[in-house]
């Protein structure tokens, strides 16, 4: 496992910190000096959607194609889901529960699943899909074909740019989604000539939801599938459903008004609006459904989009008013001010972490060419770029005030996205937030916190109507309307731990940035999630303790066609963690409810321990069913939750269970769907197996799992792999579990040198570290003055006390 001989490292706590601002200044200088290594760039315009470059401010997103004669900017607004407020809870559910449990106790799993199907599934047995907000199409006249073409996405400024030359005129375009201004800004300029173009809007034509069945079972193959979904090329401006109106709004703007669609019997309840205002020189003339721009050298387009969504129960907002106000405020500011305001808001978060793996020199190849050969050729810089892109994507799709990052983050081309583009909470949404803390962008968790607060209300109805229980819960999916009832059928949906697992991201935010006010905010959520299990854990029929029932081990079958069971390993691990976080919060806050704490403690002790089966494998279920389960290489590795993201099973405390986890992972194989590959990567990393992790990472970065725009390929596009991969790569460098920080615990030989600044660890600590020739050179810590921090490097564990400035430094 060890790739290098570890040298002991000298502790010089408090030394050399006479210039506390210096390190930070140096980081910024490095970041600025390495612009190229912080860009995705291409020599051609985007063809398919997965070649276009994403920008987003959490709420408002755009995909930039950089096309020469017909520019396409595809828009998203994060509340533009189908349907409206609804109560999905099945009134027959509670009455059937005792019988379902009795069938499970009698090992009649198939019969139990049939009864669940007939009585317990949500109404409807699906949830509302996420939509697209249409395209802006800019049809240029007189541009034949560009030379000196280049387009790029600068992660440091969060601006997507295109430049080319045609007939002696140089064209440049910049696109960004501003957080302070809440608009997408498109800046077009020409030097040595003028621009003549028509600006139009196109909405993806409505398709029938649910025509394609994207259930997990059908996508177990790992071959790259072509995108996109609904679009036909070439695009024609103003093609749209009849329900949509498009008209001039004032002297220089277009206003688009529409309604969301109904789905699965849930009526349309949202109105939405998009307003595009054109400012600049030349003549700007609205013509009903398009804007004509002639003879211009500089044009700024301000794009606002909004829906009438206020919250999951209130759709009374006025989107037209909102988009008019947003564009009017932005129109009052010069472009330079809009741009600098945007860049500042982005960099204050983005620049908290910088990372170099391998050499400092920028790679001379365009990004798509690096991805194309990433599986065969080592490219450490691409791994570093993947981390910064992951941070960029989370900052762009989950900002305070926005919706959480969905299955596609924020970006969705069509009206029928895979799995509805909603929130699958049996791994996918959780994985989206894996990097938030270590990558030092904890603010991105705020939308998830609000979603859990909503679920604690809607999920309380599901807990009481479905289980007769107190507290709140959610099954394996939710949507904009915070539906919490089980969907899709027993094989996928009848799983009670979705809400509990979401609590991990909330707890981790506290653990990485301890703050009492925040803990007080999440405590009722933890307590409510725990209460549900206090009320619903039942005695295992074979006397092994307290178990969840009915449940599944997401989304794996233990016998052909049957997943229904009681007490799978993952549930026991999640409930053990949940009760543990709740008890810690209870103790920290001196919540007087000691009877509740005692009950949690007692029930926690009665959760059956993890088990090792006949093959030496970590058992997925309470029974030793693994060897006979029909999908030996199933993408989910639910029972390894205990290894990562949890720390219940770890190399220090439970080596025999780690050995069993490895047996299991070897059976499952290294390459799976995008997110499942990222999970395998995180697992081998957590177990300290740097070379194995590196081999898996090569597969994740290669063209089968990464599209040309670096979006993760399930396939199709699903963003969780980007986030899981980001967290795992950082985990190869710095780990934080078991009360210790482990540095370079899974450093592969292929990365002999590098440095990271600003990675975070539990306990409110921030680290900078440098390594070369495979060895740690120096490490700096920042945290609370006087705080002690345990750092492990190789076999050596050192306790550091932070000085009066909250700093410590060690040298290799
Ligand atoms: C889970 C996974 C699938 C897919 C879907 C969105 O059901 O099993 O692979 O990622 O979520």
């Amino acid at each position: 496992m060890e790739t290098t001989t570890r040298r002991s490292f000298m502790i010089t706590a408090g030394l050399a910190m006479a210039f506390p601002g210096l390190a930070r200044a140096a980081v910024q200088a490095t970041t600025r000096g390495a612009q190229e290594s912080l860009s995705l760039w291409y020599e051609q315009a985007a063809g398919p959607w997965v070649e276009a470059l994403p920008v987003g401010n959490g709420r408002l997103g755009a995909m930039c194609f950089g096309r020469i004669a017909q520019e396409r900017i595809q828009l998203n607004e994060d509340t533009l889901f189908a349907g409206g407020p609804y109560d999905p809870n099945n009134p027959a559910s509670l009455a059937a529960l005792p019988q379902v449990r009795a069938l499970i106790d009698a090992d009649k799993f198939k019969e139990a699943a049939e009864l669940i199907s007939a009585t317990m599934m949500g109404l409807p047995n699906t949830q509302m899909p996420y939509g697209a907000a249409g395209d802006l199409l800019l049809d240029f006249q007189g541009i034949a074909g560009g030379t000196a073409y280049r387009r790029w996405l600068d992660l440091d400024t969060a601006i997507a740019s295109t430049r080319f030359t045609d007939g002696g005129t140089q064209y440049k375009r910049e696109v960004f989604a501003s957080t302070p201004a809440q608009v997408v800004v498109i800046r077009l300029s020409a030097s040595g000539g003028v621009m003549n173009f028509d600006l139009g809007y196109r909405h993806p034509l409505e398709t029938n939801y649910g025509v394609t069945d994207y259930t997990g079972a059908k996508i177990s193959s790992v071959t790259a599938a072509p995108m996109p979904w609904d679009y036909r090329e070439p695009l024609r401006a103003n093609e749209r459903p009849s329900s949509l109106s498009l008209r001039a709004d004032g002297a220089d703007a277009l206003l688009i008004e529409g309604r969301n669609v109904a789905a699965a019997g849930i009526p349309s309840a949202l109105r939405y609006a998009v307003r595009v205002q054109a400012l600049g020189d030349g003549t700007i003339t609205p013509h009903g459904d398009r804007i004509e721009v002639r003879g211009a050298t500089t044009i700024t387009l301000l794009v606002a989009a909004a829906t009438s969504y206020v919250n999951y129960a209130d759709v009374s907002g006025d989107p037209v008013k909102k988009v008019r106000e947003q564009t009017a405020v932005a129109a009052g500011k010069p472009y330079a001010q809009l741009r600098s305001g945007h860049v500042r808001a982005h960099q204050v978060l983005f620049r908290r972490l910088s990372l170099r793996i391998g050499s400092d020199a920028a790679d001379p190849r365009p990004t798509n060419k690096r991805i194309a050969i990433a599986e065969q050729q080592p490219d450490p810089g691409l791994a570093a770029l993947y981390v910064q892109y992951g941070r960029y994507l989370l900052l762009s799709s989950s900002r305070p005030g926005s919706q959480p990052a969905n299955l596609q983050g924020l970006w969705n081309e069509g009206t029928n996205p895979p799995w509805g583009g909603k929130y699958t909470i049996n791994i996918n949404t959780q994985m989206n937030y894996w990097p938030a803390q270590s990558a030092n962008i904890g603010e991105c968790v705020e939308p998830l916190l609000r979603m859990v607060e909503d679920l604690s209300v809607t999920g309380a109805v599901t807990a009481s109507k479905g289980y007769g229980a107190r507290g709140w819960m959610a099954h394996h999916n939710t949507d904009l309307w915070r539906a919490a009832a089980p969907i899709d059928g027993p094989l996928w949906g009848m799983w009670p731990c979705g809400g509990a697992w979401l609590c991990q991201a909330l707890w981790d935010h506290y653990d990485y940035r301890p703050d009492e006010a925040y803990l007080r905010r999440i405590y009722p959520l933890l307590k409510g999630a725990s209460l549900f299990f206090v009320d619903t854990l039942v005695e295992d029929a074979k006397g092994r303790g307290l178990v969840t029932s009915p449940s599944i081990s997401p989304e794996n079958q233990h016998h052909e066609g049957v997943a229904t069971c009681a007490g799978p390993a993952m549930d026991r691990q999640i409930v053990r963690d949940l009760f543990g976080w709740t008890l810690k919060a209870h103790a920290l806050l001196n919540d007087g409810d000691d009877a509740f704490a005692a009950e949690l403690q007692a029930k926690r002790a009665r959760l059956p321990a993890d088990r090792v089966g006949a093959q030496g494998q970590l058992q997925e279920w309470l029974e030793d069913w693994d060897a006979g389960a029909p999908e030996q290489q199933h993408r989910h590795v639910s029972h390894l939750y205990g290894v990562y993201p949890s720390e219940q099973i770890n190399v220090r405390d439970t080596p025999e269970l780690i050995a069993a986890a490895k047996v299991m992972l070897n059976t499952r194989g290294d390459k799976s769907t995008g997110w499942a590959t990222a999970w395998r990567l995180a697992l081998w990393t957590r177990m300290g197996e740097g070379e194995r992790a590196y081999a898996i990472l090569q597969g994740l970065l290669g063209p089968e799992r990464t599209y040309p725009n670096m979006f993760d390929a399930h396939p199709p596009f699903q963003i969780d792999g980007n986030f899981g991969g980001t967290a795992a790569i950082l985990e190869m460098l710095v780990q934080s579990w078991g009360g210790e920080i482990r540095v370079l615990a899974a450093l592969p030989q292929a990365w002999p040198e590098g440095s990271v600044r600003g990675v975070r660890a539990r306990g409110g600590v921030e680290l900078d570290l440098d390594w070369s020739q495979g060895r740690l050179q120096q490490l700096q810590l920042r945290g609370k003055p006087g705080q002690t921090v345990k750092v492990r490097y190789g076999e050596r564990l050192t306790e550091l006390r932070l000085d009066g400035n909250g700093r410590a430094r060690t040298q290799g």
Side-chain angles (χ1 to χ4, degrees), residues 57 59-62 73 75-78 80 133-134 136 176-178 181-186 199 201 249 253-257 272-278 300-307 318-331:
N57 66 4
R59 184 184 69 83
L60 205 56
I73 313 274
L75 303 172
N76 285 110
E77 204 279 346
D78 69 355
L80 190 44
L136 294 182
F176 58 87
S178 166
Q182 288 297 313
V183 287
V184 169
V185 181
I186 304 165
L199 165 74
Y201 174 86
D249 193 44
L254 274 187
L255 181 67
I256 296 115
E257 274 187 274
Y272 73 90
V274 177
R275 187 170 195 267
V276 191
Q277 187 167 3
T300 304
L301 302 176
L302 302 171
V303 188
T307 77
D318 183 344
V320 172
K321 186 163 169 253
K322 228 187 261 173
V323 295
R324 282 192 177 133
E325 275 168 13
Q326 285 163 341
T327 43
V329 173

Side-chain angles (χ1 to χ4, degrees), residues 218-262:
K218 303 230 163 97
I219 313 232
S220 44
S221 116
V222 291
T223 51
M227 294 281 278
W229 304 98
D230 316 316
Y231 269 105
R232 284 159 296 136
E233 306 267 358
L235 302 177
R236 283 193 290 122
N238 305 335
E239 203 175 359
R240 60 185 187 271
S242 55
S243 59
L244 194 108
S245 95
L246 187 52
R247 61 178 197 276
D249 193 44
D252 54 9
L254 274 187
L255 181 67
I256 296 115
E257 274 187 274
R259 294 192 71 82
N260 73 339
V261 294

Side-chain angles (χ1 to χ4, degrees), residues 256-308:
I256 296 115
E257 274 187 274
R259 294 192 71 82
N260 73 339
V261 294
I266 307 298
S268 148
L270 288 177
R271 292 182 299 123
Y272 73 90
V274 177
R275 187 170 195 267
V276 191
Q277 187 167 3
L279 306 166
D281 57 11
T283 58
I284 297 170
T285 323
H287 277 289
D289 58 5
R290 71 195 161 89
I291 295 178
E292 200 180 271
V293 176
R294 296 290 179 267
T297 62
T298 316
I299 292 287
T300 304
L301 302 176
L302 302 171
V303 188
T307 77
S308 53

Side-chain angles (χ1 to χ4, degrees), residues 28 183 187 193 224 257 260 267 301 322 363 393 471 575 611 647 667 802:
Q28 300 209 345
V183 287
R187 172 77 159 189
E257 274 187 274
N260 73 339
L301 302 176
K322 228 187 261 173
D363 194 288
L393 290 173
V575 175
R611 301 162 83 95
E647 56 182 63
T667 306
L802 304 193

